[in-house]
Amino acid sequence: MLSFKGFAAKDLCDPHLAPSRRTFLRVGGCGMLGLSLPSLMQLENASAGEVLGGGPGWGKAKSIIMVYLQGGPSHLDLWDPKENVPDNVKSQFQPISTKIPGIKFTENLPQLSQLNDRFTMIRSMSYTPNGLFNHTAAIYQMMTGYTTDKVSPSGQLEPPSPKDFPNFGSNIVKMQPVDEPMLPFVMLPRPLQESNVVGKGGTAGFLGKSYDPYTLYPDGDDLDMSKMNRIKIDDLKLRPEVFSVRLKRRAQLRNLLNAQMPEINKAVESFELDEYYDRALSLIVSGRAREAFDLASEPDDLRDKYGRNTFGQSCLLARRLVDAGTRVVEVIWPKVANSDNHSWDHHSGLSKRMKEQSAPMLDAGLSTLIEDLDDRGMLEDTLVVAVGEFGRSPQRGVSTSGNNNSDDGRDHWPYCYTAVMAGAGTKRGYVHGKSDKTASAPLENPVHPAALLATIYHSFGIHPETIVYNHLNQPRELVKAQALTALLS
């Protein structure tokens, strides 16, 4: 057989994965050598022992919680402080020791500093952007693994389009559907956004709306820290496109659900309902989603530990959703990019806003999430990733993206920043990569955002270069990158 070696994917017998480029090339090669399709199948069976995927961490993840730090947090003022550097580079916050000898955080992360022996840090996230590196284009790349040709001079993109590449979560739930009557993919508590470009990189794109996330965006301003308390059962309204047909008599079912659950189960058990209608009905009838959204059932002391704010309660809800069977949860930082107050977009007022607003919420919410999952045994197969679209400029007060920055602010910086991963086979207490003296560039082991996504796919047992087909029926890889197996065990 004429075989052009490429990256492996599962064959056509797998109902969820498309063939790899290698398979197509093999078919072409077989044609040149006069092999028939039955001969090809026979040879494929004979080589069934060939390893497709595999390696450290392969397939250990059953679910993922992506903690997306929209806005781009300053790595120098959180995870990667530098000493013996010029004053306009050095963080205004004091470095503190962590559980890992020789690794320091700033005083802004006291809880995470005592928990970093449970997670992996990547201190060498890095990429070179196309044009000005503003939020929308960077968010799109981080969520899909692809850049776009249509970038405006400001670095912003067009609104979401059915032609977009899918969010990584949509790819995962398409290839690994949930086997529970549960929402497969949930995004909360707000959409991805820069200025008036809302939701770019957060949809299923060319996969179709049936793989869009269920979006839980409670009413209230971004600064309303109590809006997660207003989640109601009525928030669980499935859009018509999610299961392709409207859920008939949805309102009546909601009203009768709690009082007549046994009667509903009995009434529908013998019906041969359409597959999509059946899935939607099962979701409502089972009550799993309804119960998962009930934050009030959690102990007060645990809710306090997560933080009585939008981010902390979103992290808690993410844990509850995963426990109930949700495959993908994306917790978006609850403040729009390019804004003030609790945003990570610290062009000015960094010393006050970081210390009093954003950092305490991150420290409490993320540390409690990792600890809570670990204590429950859920970290074995739940992957947690915390990352933003970029870091912040090493020098304060300079412009790197066309924005104005005060002496107490840092601009966008994609050339070096930090990500955190925990669970599902990621190493504990491991630091991957190293930044240079001023945290301006990786000193070793640079990691592109696409490689981070490739590692996520790998953790789910999905080869990163599995072929999917876009709106024009053109083959496209999930992501053009290799998994970072050095992070996994």
PDB file of all heavy atoms in Angstrom, residues 246-265:
ATOM      1  N   ARG A 246     -39.408  22.583  17.848  1.00  0.00           N
ATOM      2  CA  ARG A 246     -39.824  23.189  19.117  1.00  0.00           C
ATOM      3  C   ARG A 246     -40.320  22.108  20.065  1.00  0.00           C
ATOM      4  O   ARG A 246     -40.965  21.145  19.676  1.00  0.00           O
ATOM      5  CB  ARG A 246     -40.932  24.226  18.884  1.00  0.00           C
ATOM      6  CG  ARG A 246     -40.442  25.500  18.238  1.00  0.00           C
ATOM      7  CD  ARG A 246     -41.589  26.524  18.160  1.00  0.00           C
ATOM      8  NE  ARG A 246     -41.148  27.753  17.532  1.00  0.00           N
ATOM      9  CZ  ARG A 246     -40.516  28.730  18.158  1.00  0.00           C
ATOM     10  NH1 ARG A 246     -40.254  28.614  19.435  1.00  0.00           N
ATOM     11  NH2 ARG A 246     -40.161  29.813  17.516  1.00  0.00           N
ATOM     12  N   LEU A 247     -40.045  22.294  21.317  1.00  0.00           N
ATOM     13  CA  LEU A 247     -40.526  21.379  22.339  1.00  0.00           C
ATOM     14  C   LEU A 247     -42.015  21.670  22.548  1.00  0.00           C
ATOM     15  O   LEU A 247     -42.395  22.689  23.127  1.00  0.00           O
ATOM     16  CB  LEU A 247     -39.748  21.583  23.639  1.00  0.00           C
ATOM     17  CG  LEU A 247     -40.079  20.649  24.789  1.00  0.00           C
ATOM     18  CD1 LEU A 247     -39.803  19.210  24.365  1.00  0.00           C
ATOM     19  CD2 LEU A 247     -39.250  20.987  26.003  1.00  0.00           C
ATOM     20  N   LYS A 248     -42.858  20.760  22.070  1.00  0.00           N
ATOM     21  CA  LYS A 248     -44.305  20.998  22.085  1.00  0.00           C
ATOM     22  C   LYS A 248     -44.828  21.127  23.516  1.00  0.00           C
ATOM     23  O   LYS A 248     -44.415  20.403  24.419  1.00  0.00           O
ATOM     24  CB  LYS A 248     -45.030  19.856  21.377  1.00  0.00           C
ATOM     25  CG  LYS A 248     -44.676  19.738  19.892  1.00  0.00           C
ATOM     26  CD  LYS A 248     -45.389  18.565  19.264  1.00  0.00           C
ATOM     27  CE  LYS A 248     -45.003  18.436  17.792  1.00  0.00           C
ATOM     28  NZ  LYS A 248     -45.675  17.272  17.171  1.00  0.00           N
ATOM     29  N   ARG A 249     -45.723  22.036  23.629  1.00  0.00           N
ATOM     30  CA  ARG A 249     -46.379  22.303  24.918  1.00  0.00           C
ATOM     31  C   ARG A 249     -45.370  22.508  26.037  1.00  0.00           C
ATOM     32  O   ARG A 249     -45.528  22.054  27.166  1.00  0.00           O
ATOM     33  CB  ARG A 249     -47.334  21.157  25.263  1.00  0.00           C
ATOM     34  CG  ARG A 249     -48.495  21.022  24.288  1.00  0.00           C
ATOM     35  CD  ARG A 249     -49.462  19.944  24.705  1.00  0.00           C
ATOM     36  NE  ARG A 249     -48.866  18.626  24.567  1.00  0.00           N
ATOM     37  CZ  ARG A 249     -48.850  17.942  23.427  1.00  0.00           C
ATOM     38  NH1 ARG A 249     -49.376  18.459  22.349  1.00  0.00           N
ATOM     39  NH2 ARG A 249     -48.319  16.748  23.373  1.00  0.00           N
ATOM     40  N   ARG A 250     -44.283  23.230  25.710  1.00  0.00           N
ATOM     41  CA  ARG A 250     -43.204  23.435  26.683  1.00  0.00           C
ATOM     42  C   ARG A 250     -43.715  24.143  27.930  1.00  0.00           C
ATOM     43  O   ARG A 250     -43.364  23.779  29.053  1.00  0.00           O
ATOM     44  CB  ARG A 250     -42.080  24.239  26.033  1.00  0.00           C
ATOM     45  CG  ARG A 250     -40.885  24.475  26.912  1.00  0.00           C
ATOM     46  CD  ARG A 250     -39.751  25.108  26.123  1.00  0.00           C
ATOM     47  NE  ARG A 250     -40.167  26.351  25.506  1.00  0.00           N
ATOM     48  CZ  ARG A 250     -39.460  27.001  24.577  1.00  0.00           C
ATOM     49  NH1 ARG A 250     -38.330  26.501  24.151  1.00  0.00           N
ATOM     50  NH2 ARG A 250     -39.896  28.135  24.081  1.00  0.00           N
ATOM     51  N   ALA A 251     -44.515  25.150  27.735  1.00  0.00           N
ATOM     52  CA  ALA A 251     -45.000  25.913  28.883  1.00  0.00           C
ATOM     53  C   ALA A 251     -45.840  25.041  29.802  1.00  0.00           C
ATOM     54  O   ALA A 251     -45.707  25.083  31.027  1.00  0.00           O
ATOM     55  CB  ALA A 251     -45.803  27.116  28.408  1.00  0.00           C
ATOM     56  N   GLN A 252     -46.716  24.213  29.201  1.00  0.00           N
ATOM     57  CA  GLN A 252     -47.542  23.335  30.025  1.00  0.00           C
ATOM     58  C   GLN A 252     -46.691  22.331  30.791  1.00  0.00           C
ATOM     59  O   GLN A 252     -46.963  22.043  31.970  1.00  0.00           O
ATOM     60  CB  GLN A 252     -48.558  22.590  29.146  1.00  0.00           C
ATOM     61  CG  GLN A 252     -49.647  23.494  28.561  1.00  0.00           C
ATOM     62  CD  GLN A 252     -49.259  24.039  27.196  1.00  0.00           C
ATOM     63  OE1 GLN A 252     -48.072  24.233  26.938  1.00  0.00           O
ATOM     64  NE2 GLN A 252     -50.243  24.288  26.351  1.00  0.00           N
ATOM     65  N   LEU A 253     -45.662  21.808  30.124  1.00  0.00           N
ATOM     66  CA  LEU A 253     -44.787  20.853  30.802  1.00  0.00           C
ATOM     67  C   LEU A 253     -44.084  21.502  31.992  1.00  0.00           C
ATOM     68  O   LEU A 253     -43.971  20.895  33.060  1.00  0.00           O
ATOM     69  CB  LEU A 253     -43.744  20.303  29.828  1.00  0.00           C
ATOM     70  CG  LEU A 253     -44.194  19.162  28.924  1.00  0.00           C
ATOM     71  CD1 LEU A 253     -43.106  18.837  27.920  1.00  0.00           C
ATOM     72  CD2 LEU A 253     -44.532  17.934  29.752  1.00  0.00           C
ATOM     73  N   ARG A 254     -43.625  22.720  31.793  1.00  0.00           N
ATOM     74  CA  ARG A 254     -42.938  23.401  32.896  1.00  0.00           C
ATOM     75  C   ARG A 254     -43.868  23.572  34.087  1.00  0.00           C
ATOM     76  O   ARG A 254     -43.473  23.396  35.240  1.00  0.00           O
ATOM     77  CB  ARG A 254     -42.418  24.772  32.435  1.00  0.00           C
ATOM     78  CG  ARG A 254     -41.171  24.722  31.607  1.00  0.00           C
ATOM     79  CD  ARG A 254     -40.410  26.029  31.686  1.00  0.00           C
ATOM     80  NE  ARG A 254     -41.265  27.187  31.463  1.00  0.00           N
ATOM     81  CZ  ARG A 254     -41.481  27.731  30.274  1.00  0.00           C
ATOM     82  NH1 ARG A 254     -40.914  27.212  29.202  1.00  0.00           N
ATOM     83  NH2 ARG A 254     -42.254  28.790  30.137  1.00  0.00           N
ATOM     84  N   ASN A 255     -45.122  23.930  33.805  1.00  0.00           N
ATOM     85  CA  ASN A 255     -46.062  24.181  34.892  1.00  0.00           C
ATOM     86  C   ASN A 255     -46.439  22.899  35.636  1.00  0.00           C
ATOM     87  O   ASN A 255     -46.676  22.891  36.838  1.00  0.00           O
ATOM     88  CB  ASN A 255     -47.330  24.840  34.346  1.00  0.00           C
ATOM     89  CG  ASN A 255     -47.074  26.240  33.823  1.00  0.00           C
ATOM     90  OD1 ASN A 255     -46.128  26.893  34.239  1.00  0.00           O
ATOM     91  ND2 ASN A 255     -47.906  26.700  32.899  1.00  0.00           N
ATOM     92  N   LEU A 256     -46.482  21.799  34.880  1.00  0.00           N
ATOM     93  CA  LEU A 256     -46.918  20.544  35.482  1.00  0.00           C
ATOM     94  C   LEU A 256     -45.773  19.682  36.004  1.00  0.00           C
ATOM     95  O   LEU A 256     -46.002  18.672  36.657  1.00  0.00           O
ATOM     96  CB  LEU A 256     -47.705  19.733  34.440  1.00  0.00           C
ATOM     97  CG  LEU A 256     -49.029  20.341  33.964  1.00  0.00           C
ATOM     98  CD1 LEU A 256     -49.588  19.518  32.814  1.00  0.00           C
ATOM     99  CD2 LEU A 256     -50.039  20.409  35.115  1.00  0.00           C
ATOM    100  N   LEU A 257     -44.556  20.104  35.690  1.00  0.00           N
ATOM    101  CA  LEU A 257     -43.391  19.253  35.897  1.00  0.00           C
ATOM    102  C   LEU A 257     -43.274  18.726  37.319  1.00  0.00           C
ATOM    103  O   LEU A 257     -43.236  17.519  37.545  1.00  0.00           O
ATOM    104  CB  LEU A 257     -42.135  20.031  35.520  1.00  0.00           C
ATOM    105  CG  LEU A 257     -40.968  19.216  35.017  1.00  0.00           C
ATOM    106  CD1 LEU A 257     -41.375  18.265  33.922  1.00  0.00           C
ATOM    107  CD2 LEU A 257     -39.877  20.149  34.530  1.00  0.00           C
ATOM    108  N   ASN A 258     -43.216  19.639  38.283  1.00  0.00           N
ATOM    109  CA  ASN A 258     -42.959  19.216  39.653  1.00  0.00           C
ATOM    110  C   ASN A 258     -44.147  18.446  40.239  1.00  0.00           C
ATOM    111  O   ASN A 258     -43.974  17.469  40.977  1.00  0.00           O
ATOM    112  CB  ASN A 258     -42.644  20.427  40.534  1.00  0.00           C
ATOM    113  CG  ASN A 258     -41.289  21.022  40.193  1.00  0.00           C
ATOM    114  OD1 ASN A 258     -40.357  20.297  39.876  1.00  0.00           O
ATOM    115  ND2 ASN A 258     -41.184  22.343  40.240  1.00  0.00           N
ATOM    116  N   ALA A 259     -45.353  18.861  39.906  1.00  0.00           N
ATOM    117  CA  ALA A 259     -46.536  18.251  40.508  1.00  0.00           C
ATOM    118  C   ALA A 259     -46.888  16.899  39.895  1.00  0.00           C
ATOM    119  O   ALA A 259     -47.445  16.036  40.569  1.00  0.00           O
ATOM    120  CB  ALA A 259     -47.731  19.199  40.382  1.00  0.00           C
ATOM    121  N   GLN A 260     -46.578  16.715  38.608  1.00  0.00           N
ATOM    122  CA  GLN A 260     -47.061  15.527  37.925  1.00  0.00           C
ATOM    123  C   GLN A 260     -45.940  14.739  37.257  1.00  0.00           C
ATOM    124  O   GLN A 260     -46.151  14.138  36.207  1.00  0.00           O
ATOM    125  CB  GLN A 260     -48.112  15.920  36.890  1.00  0.00           C
ATOM    126  CG  GLN A 260     -49.311  16.633  37.491  1.00  0.00           C
ATOM    127  CD  GLN A 260     -50.392  16.908  36.449  1.00  0.00           C
ATOM    128  OE1 GLN A 260     -50.478  16.216  35.451  1.00  0.00           O
ATOM    129  NE2 GLN A 260     -51.204  17.918  36.687  1.00  0.00           N
ATOM    130  N   MET A 261     -44.767  14.727  37.824  1.00  0.00           N
ATOM    131  CA  MET A 261     -43.641  14.041  37.204  1.00  0.00           C
ATOM    132  C   MET A 261     -43.921  12.562  36.931  1.00  0.00           C
ATOM    133  O   MET A 261     -43.662  12.070  35.831  1.00  0.00           O
ATOM    134  CB  MET A 261     -42.398  14.177  38.080  1.00  0.00           C
ATOM    135  CG  MET A 261     -41.149  13.594  37.442  1.00  0.00           C
ATOM    136  SD  MET A 261     -40.635  14.539  36.003  1.00  0.00           S
ATOM    137  CE  MET A 261     -40.043  16.031  36.808  1.00  0.00           C
ATOM    138  N   PRO A 262     -44.472  11.794  37.872  1.00  0.00           N
ATOM    139  CA  PRO A 262     -44.733  10.378  37.565  1.00  0.00           C
ATOM    140  C   PRO A 262     -45.695  10.198  36.400  1.00  0.00           C
ATOM    141  O   PRO A 262     -45.517   9.322  35.568  1.00  0.00           O
ATOM    142  CB  PRO A 262     -45.339   9.853  38.875  1.00  0.00           C
ATOM    143  CG  PRO A 262     -44.845  10.789  39.925  1.00  0.00           C
ATOM    144  CD  PRO A 262     -44.796  12.133  39.257  1.00  0.00           C
ATOM    145  N   GLU A 263     -46.731  11.034  36.348  1.00  0.00           N
ATOM    146  CA  GLU A 263     -47.717  10.932  35.286  1.00  0.00           C
ATOM    147  C   GLU A 263     -47.098  11.230  33.925  1.00  0.00           C
ATOM    148  O   GLU A 263     -47.411  10.584  32.920  1.00  0.00           O
ATOM    149  CB  GLU A 263     -48.879  11.889  35.553  1.00  0.00           C
ATOM    150  CG  GLU A 263     -49.804  11.452  36.688  1.00  0.00           C
ATOM    151  CD  GLU A 263     -49.229  11.745  38.062  1.00  0.00           C
ATOM    152  OE1 GLU A 263     -48.137  12.344  38.121  1.00  0.00           O
ATOM    153  OE2 GLU A 263     -49.843  11.354  39.061  1.00  0.00           O
ATOM    154  N   ILE A 264     -46.172  12.231  33.883  1.00  0.00           N
ATOM    155  CA  ILE A 264     -45.512  12.576  32.617  1.00  0.00           C
ATOM    156  C   ILE A 264     -44.646  11.420  32.142  1.00  0.00           C
ATOM    157  O   ILE A 264     -44.681  11.024  30.980  1.00  0.00           O
ATOM    158  CB  ILE A 264     -44.663  13.847  32.775  1.00  0.00           C
ATOM    159  CG1 ILE A 264     -45.573  15.062  32.963  1.00  0.00           C
ATOM    160  CG2 ILE A 264     -43.765  14.062  31.557  1.00  0.00           C
ATOM    161  CD1 ILE A 264     -44.832  16.345  33.223  1.00  0.00           C
ATOM    162  N   ASN A 265     -43.876  10.861  33.048  1.00  0.00           N
ATOM    163  CA  ASN A 265     -43.021   9.733  32.676  1.00  0.00           C
ATOM    164  C   ASN A 265     -43.851   8.581  32.114  1.00  0.00           C
ATOM    165  O   ASN A 265     -43.496   7.966  31.109  1.00  0.00           O
ATOM    166  CB  ASN A 265     -42.219   9.252  33.883  1.00  0.00           C
ATOM    167  CG  ASN A 265     -41.051  10.164  34.201  1.00  0.00           C
ATOM    168  OD1 ASN A 265     -40.469  10.745  33.319  1.00  0.00           O
ATOM    169  ND2 ASN A 265     -40.724  10.273  35.483  1.00  0.00           N
TER     170      ASN A 265
END
